[in-house]
Amino acid sequence: MNTKSPVRNAKSFICIAAVAACAVLSGPVQSKDREVTAEFRVSAAGLDLSRPADARELYARIQHAADIVCTHGMRVDLEPVQHPADCYEKALGDAVRSVKQPQLSIVYLATHTTEQAAAYGIEIPARMAAK
């Protein structure tokens, strides 16, 4: 009998969700009439997203990835994103939504409005919605 299975699966899910979130961190850019999607993967390895400090750490990683993807990041012979601030906010919001962790949503809401969160489909934790 494997008593550690649910914990391992939960941690694996978080890591997979974070990686999936990074797949969302993509901004389409045009190059010779061809749309290209940039991608940057972020790992939640070693983080417990139920802890506020770890949620802030993952959020910082996602912010960094969004900044790279939407500005200078790893593009050769591609035109820059036309609206980097919009790309950044979309990448950030989509990543937070895809992770679906209340603590990460709380970190996002520290610098964004509930309307911005709703625009990206981020679930607002019940204790935040009551305020």
Side-chain angles (χ1 to χ4, degrees):
M1 183 160 93
N2 188 353
T3 59
K4 294 184 181 182
S5 181
V7 173
R8 187 178 65 228
N9 288 341
K11 287 183 181 180
S12 296
F13 172 75
I14 291 169
C15 187
I16 290 168
V19 170
C22 297
V24 176
L25 290 178
S26 58
V29 288
Q30 298 293 324
S31 175
K32 298 180 185 175
D33 299 321
R34 194 177 73 159
E35 189 172 290
V36 177
T37 301
E39 178 180 290
F40 193 102
R41 295 187 183 268
V42 175
S43 173
L47 300 177
D48 175 0
L49 297 183
S50 66
R51 296 179 51 217
D54 286 355
R56 286 190 301 272
E57 173 60 29
L58 180 60
Y59 187 76
R61 292 177 189 181
I62 292 171
Q63 285 180 305
H64 179 70
D67 183 55
I68 289 172
V69 168
C70 295
T71 57
H72 57 77
M74 300 180 261
R75 292 194 283 263
V76 178
D77 294 335
L78 298 178
E79 294 178 18
V81 174
Q82 290 183 6
H83 305 285
D86 294 340
C87 172
Y88 175 85
E89 287 300 326
K90 180 175 178 359
L92 188 62
D94 288 347
V96 170
R97 180 199 68 242
S98 69
V99 175
K100 297 180 182 174
Q101 289 292 316
Q103 283 295 337
L104 189 61
S105 297
I106 290 168
V107 174
Y108 178 86
L109 288 167
T111 56
H112 293 80
T113 66
T114 54
E115 291 80 16
Q116 289 171 310
Y120 295 109
I122 297 170
E123 291 184 30
I124 300 170
R127 65 179 181 223
M128 298 283 293
K131 291 182 180 180

